């Protein structure tokens, strides 16, 4: 019997085992059972002389079924390792025929075959590291035996796949198959049989030799590039065992390491974010079959840093885009920046010159709206002032066809008020890109009161097409990400007034795993932007709330951050290293004295609680208000837009690992000292009382 997840057929003495578990042929229990049954059937049938393993649909196999990890297995479960061992024992030729993805356990399945055929554009890799794991079914033993230790380790520690052509060059596949893969695999099997070739078991190939200090050197380099992650180092250790110990020992070691790591917080966090990213695409009242409109041509209004970056996103995805500004010199400047960005990518070897030219050719500069034509979407990225935005939208409404989606890249303004300037509020939506827009993966898609469902569905699809992760958020000040950021920055400033120095706060946040702390970040972004916004709001600032003046005082001295060589830190010419500045310390100490605050040493634990718990408390409010659809969306935002350490899974996953009560109790403690800003969100209080998790929260 074969399971429906694996189809069994024979052709001229060759058994075909076809994995059929859409969408990606993950190795679910049913697939594993189907493979082992098919193998036994083929081995027992005297008429079958060889086997071909192939995938139906989009690809060969994307690996173990991640959704089954951590769930109880039935006692008779077939483990991928059983299959690999059975392949090793098989007495008939086994051939893997690969198209699309062969990843993780999928590649390991192919590695355990005697030969591999692949389509030139197949993608083969061991991406387990991206979900905090390592290859756990023989990959660390077999891949180095086929392609060498260093190339194999590079694949494992980066998680990046290689294509069929490269795999053929490196010896991972034995033959490329253009055209009909199944026919090519059957023909290959015919040749193997006709030539009576000896079975080529990968595990029996000699272990490749490496220089005595190879692993030490590799680990040292890895330490610099993968801060905070364990999984890449586990891959190195298993590969090392694979070439220095017996095959049996190395196999057992790999299995045990994988099983242990499956329970590690890093794997849990990264698996959480894998599914969180995919779940973000699901919007309860905008079902997956909502019609979308093709975005064949785009326009961006404003050729500044953001506008230019957004135009690059379209060009990178092959979508022609018109970049509009009101003056020729602004356009020229914008285009020069774009060309410079591409040129740097070419210099780094990450883009070919011809590809750069092709992308630049997709960007058409234009002065004024006259040359806009009929874009399917326009994204506005002009100055962050409501009257200016409203004027732009009124004009766009006048000149664009009624079907054009009008999007705003505002990060602070009310999308509904912007939509109100048009006669098509249903066609208006927010697309909040993060800087640099061509690099950062996050896109907050802001749903206005009137935004139509097809406009939401189209924009979410567009996010994917331009290789962003789109997260739907509601209209509120700062949307989700920046709204949460406020409390984090507020507390960082207060900590400095109370006794910490910027470098101490930054060190604590960096030790937690962020790429940099709030002060280094502020210096990088530029202090003047926030200063301008604060000055604009000074008249309406509530008097009863504490307000830190240090950042304003720095700006008054012309210290705008890296761009002026000084901000919270000082910078030496041509060097971005933040250096503590005695002048800043003097200003801080003087400010504390003016405020009558007796400075005290502040422990790292307090710094972390004071900065991180406001994120969680604010997110609880955001969830209750429905401004984010689910806690995991908040995680996707903070992981992809704000550098929250990936191996901690995002603020809400982190909160769930600590438990709501721990956070609630601390929030109450700080409320007693600092008052109103620390008032606990009702949802946090409820979860703390009930022992609930953010992950399970759903609005009624
Ligand atoms: C492993 O193999 C361990 C072994 O070494 C040892 C074992 C002992 N499982 O991403 P998409 C779902 S660890 C379950 O939107 P794409 C995904 O959730 C595994 N589900 O499509 C989504 O579901 P939904 C090593 C999976 O075309 C749907 O498929 N392998 C799995 O942009 C479509 O996915 C990996 O880490 C899975 N393995 O990208 C590969 N994979 O429609 C992880 C996908 O309900 N997967 N789904 O939202 C990927 O990198 C991408 O999904 C892939 C396709 C490149 C395959």
């Amino acid at each position: 019997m074969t399971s429906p997840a694996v189809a069994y057929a024979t052709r001229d003495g060759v058994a075909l085992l076809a994995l059929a578990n859409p969408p990606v042929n993950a190795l679910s229990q049913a697939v594993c059972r189907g493979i082992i049954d098919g193998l036994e059937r083929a081995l027992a049938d005297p008429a079958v002389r060889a086997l071909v393993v192939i995938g139906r649909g989009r690809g060969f196999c994307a690996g173990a079924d991640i959704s089954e990890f951590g769930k109880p297995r039935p006692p008779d479960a077939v483990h991928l390792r059983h299959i690999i061992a059975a392949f090793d024992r098989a007495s008939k030729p086994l051939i893997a025929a690969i198209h699309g993805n062969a990843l993780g356990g999928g590649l390991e399945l192919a590695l355990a075959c005697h030969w591999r055929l692949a389509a030139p554009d197949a993608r083969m890799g061991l991406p387990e590291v991206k979900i905090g794991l390592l290859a756990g079914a023989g990959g660390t033993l077999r891949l180095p035996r086929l392609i060498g230790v260093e190339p194999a380790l590079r694949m494992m520690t980066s998680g990046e796949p290689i294509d069929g052509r490269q795999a053929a060059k490196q010896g991972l596949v034995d033959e490329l198959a253009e055209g009909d893969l199944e026919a090519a695999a059957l023909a290959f099997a015919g040749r193997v049989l006709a030539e009576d070739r000896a079975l080529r078991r990968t595990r029996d190939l000699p272990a490749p030799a490496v220089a005595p200090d190879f692993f030490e050197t590799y680990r040292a380099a890895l330490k610099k590039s993968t801060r905070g992650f364990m999984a890449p180092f586990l891959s190195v250790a298993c590969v090392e065992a694979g070439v220095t110990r017996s095959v049996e020992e190395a196999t057992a070691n790999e299995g045990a390491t994988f099983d242990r790591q499956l329970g590690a917080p890093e794997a849990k966090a990264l698996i959480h974010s894998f599914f969180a990213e995919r779940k973000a695409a699901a919007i309860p009242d905008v079902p997956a079959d909502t019609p979308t409109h093709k975005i064949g041509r785009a326009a961006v209004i404003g050729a500044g840093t953001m506008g230019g970056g957004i135009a690059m996103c379209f060009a990178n995805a092959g979508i022609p885009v018109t970049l509009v500004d009101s003056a020729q010199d602004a356009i020229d400047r914008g285009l020069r920046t774009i060309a410079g960005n591409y040129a740097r990518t070419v210099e780094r070897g990450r883009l070919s010159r011809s590809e750069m030219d092709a992308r630049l050719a997709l960007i058409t500069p234009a002065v004024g709206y006259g040359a806009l034509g009929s874009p399917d979407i326009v994204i506005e990225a002009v100055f962050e002032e409501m009257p200016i935005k409203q004027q732009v939208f009124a004009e766009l409404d006048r000149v664009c066809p009624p079907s054009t989606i009008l999007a705003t890249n505002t990060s602070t303004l009310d999308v509904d008020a912007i939509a109100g300037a048009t006669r098509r509020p249903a066609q208006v939506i927010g697309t909040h890109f993060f800087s640099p827009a061509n690099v950062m993966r996050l896109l907050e898609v802001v749903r206005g009161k009137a935004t139509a469902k097809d406009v939401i569905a189209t924009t979410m699809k567009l996010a994917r097409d331009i290789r962003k992760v789109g997260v739907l958020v509601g209209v509120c000040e700062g949307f989700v990400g920046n709204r949460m950021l406020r409390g984090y920055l507020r507390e960082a400033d207060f900590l400095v007034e109370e006794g910490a120095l910027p470098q101490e706060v930054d060190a604590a946040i960096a030790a937690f795993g962020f790429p940099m702390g709030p002060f280094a970040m502020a210096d990088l972004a530029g202090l003047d932007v926030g200063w301008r916004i604060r000055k604009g709001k000074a008249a309406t600032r509530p008097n009863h709330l504490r307000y830190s003046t240090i950042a304003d005082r720095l700006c008054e001295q012309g210290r705008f951050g890296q761009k002026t060589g000084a901000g919270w830190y000082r910078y030496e010419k041509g060097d971005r290293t933040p250096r503590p500045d005695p002048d800043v310390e003097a200003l801080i100490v003087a400010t504390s004295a003016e405020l009558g605050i007796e400075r005290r040493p502040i422990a790292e634990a307090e710094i972390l609680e004071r900065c991180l718990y406001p994120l969680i408390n604010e997110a609880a409010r955001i969830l209750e208000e429905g401004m984010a659809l689910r806690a995991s969306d908040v995680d996707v935002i903070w992981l992809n837009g704000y550098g929250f350490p990936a191996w901690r899974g995002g603020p809400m996953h982190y909160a769930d690992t600590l438990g709501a009560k721990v956070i609630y109790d601390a929030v109450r403690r700080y409320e007693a000292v600092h008052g109103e800003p620390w008032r606990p969100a009702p949802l946090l209080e409820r979860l703390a009382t009930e022992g609930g998790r953010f992950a399970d929260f759903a609005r009624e």
Side-chain angles (χ1 to χ4, degrees), residues 22-24 26-27 58 62-69 73 79-81 101 103-106 108 123 126-128 130-131 133-137 258-259 274-275 278-279 464:
V24 295
L27 294 160
R58 277 162 46 183
D65 187 334
I66 305 170
S67 66
E68 286 183 0
F69 286 161
R73 284 170 175 271
H79 197 286
L80 177 58
R81 290 183 203 130
N101 289 306
L103 301 175
E108 290 175 299
R123 286 155 47 87
L126 292 174
E128 287 88 341
K130 295 191 175 178
I131 48 169
L133 295 171
L134 57 145
F258 179 92
D259 293 348
F274 176 84
F275 286 116
R278 280 146 187 90
K279 211 190 271 171
R464 210 180 152 121

Side-chain angles (χ1 to χ4, degrees), residues 227 485 488-489 492-493 496 501-525 527 562 568-569 571 578 607-608 611-612 638 642-645:
R227 213 161 53 94
L485 188 67
Y488 168 86
L489 297 179
D493 284 357
V496 162
L501 291 172
Q503 56 270 29
E504 289 164 355
V505 175
D506 280 354
I509 295 295
F512 181 79
F514 278 89
M516 64 182 90
F519 297 108
M521 185 69 218
D523 273 1
L524 177 67
L527 305 186
Q562 282 192 17
W568 286 99
Y569 297 94
Y571 298 87
I607 294 176
L608 290 179
C611 290
L612 299 175
W638 269 75
Y642 297 85
F644 199 94

Side-chain angles (χ1 to χ4, degrees), residues 342 346 351-363:
Y342 278 133
V346 171
L351 189 72
S352 71
R353 196 157 286 279
S354 61
E355 186 57 32
M356 169 176 91
D357 293 342
R359 292 184 191 186
L360 280 170
L362 286 170
I363 304 174

Side-chain angles (χ1 to χ4, degrees), residues 561-600:
Q562 282 192 17
K563 60 184 164 192
T564 56
W568 286 99
Y569 297 94
R570 64 178 186 86
Y571 298 87
E572 282 174 7
K573 232 183 163 42
D575 185 352
R576 288 161 169 267
T577 316
R579 294 167 204 274
D581 188 336
D583 290 349
V584 174
E585 186 170 343
L587 173 72
I588 290 169
V589 170
T591 309
S592 306
E594 266 172 43
L595 293 167
I597 295 173
E598 194 176 327
R599 294 179 66 79
R600 63 186 168 94

Side-chain angles (χ1 to χ4, degrees), residues 89-107:
R89 286 192 304 271
S91 51
K92 299 180 183 177
L94 279 163
I95 294 141
I98 302 166
H99 76 295
N101 289 306
L103 301 175
L107 184 64

Side-chain angles (χ1 to χ4, degrees), residues 269-458:
L270 290 166
I271 290 172
H272 161 76
S273 50
F274 176 84
F275 286 116
E277 245 182 52
R278 280 146 187 90
K279 211 190 271 171
I283 302 162
D285 69 331
V286 184
D289 59 1
T290 305
T292 56
H293 306 280
K294 183 173 158 36
I295 303 293
R297 166 137 225 123
V300 175
I301 311 296
T305 314
M306 278 317 273
I310 297 169
M312 287 175 77
C313 295
F314 284 108
N316 294 348
I319 302 172
V321 55
T322 309
L323 181 59
V324 180
D325 211 310
S326 51
Q328 188 63 47
D329 61 331
I331 280 285
D332 292 344
R333 236 189 346 264
L335 282 180
R336 267 200 308 276
T337 308
I338 292 173
N341 286 341
Y342 278 133
R344 265 194 303 283
T345 317
V346 171
E347 269 164 36
R348 289 191 196 123
R350 293 208 222 116
L351 189 72
S352 71
R353 196 157 286 279
S354 61
E355 186 57 32
M356 169 176 91
D357 293 342
R359 292 184 191 186
L360 280 170
L362 286 170
I363 304 174
T364 309
V367 176
Y369 299 121
L372 253 186
S374 302
D376 300 303
I377 188 167
V378 181
I379 298 186
E380 161 279 313
V382 302
F383 208 63
E384 193 73 351
E385 299 236 347
M386 183 57 90
I388 301 180
K389 302 251 188 209
Q390 286 180 323
Q391 206 181 341
V392 169
F393 271 74
E395 189 60 16
L396 288 173
D397 189 31
R398 206 177 55 76
V399 299
C400 291
S403 60
T404 302
I405 295 175
L406 304 182
T408 169
N409 180 49
T410 182
S411 56
T412 50
L413 300 176
D414 180 347
V415 173
D416 292 323
I418 295 173
T422 72
R423 290 157 302 166
R424 60 174 98 183
Q427 296 284 105
V428 177
I429 194 160
T431 45
H432 180 208
F433 287 79
F434 288 70
S435 188
N438 54 312
V439 176
M440 299 293 285
R441 280 188 77 221
L442 178 62
L443 182 66
E444 279 185 333
V445 175
V446 191
R447 174 183 200 159
K449 270 198 202 79
T451 311
K453 292 183 181 179
D454 59 330
V455 172
I456 295 172
T458 302

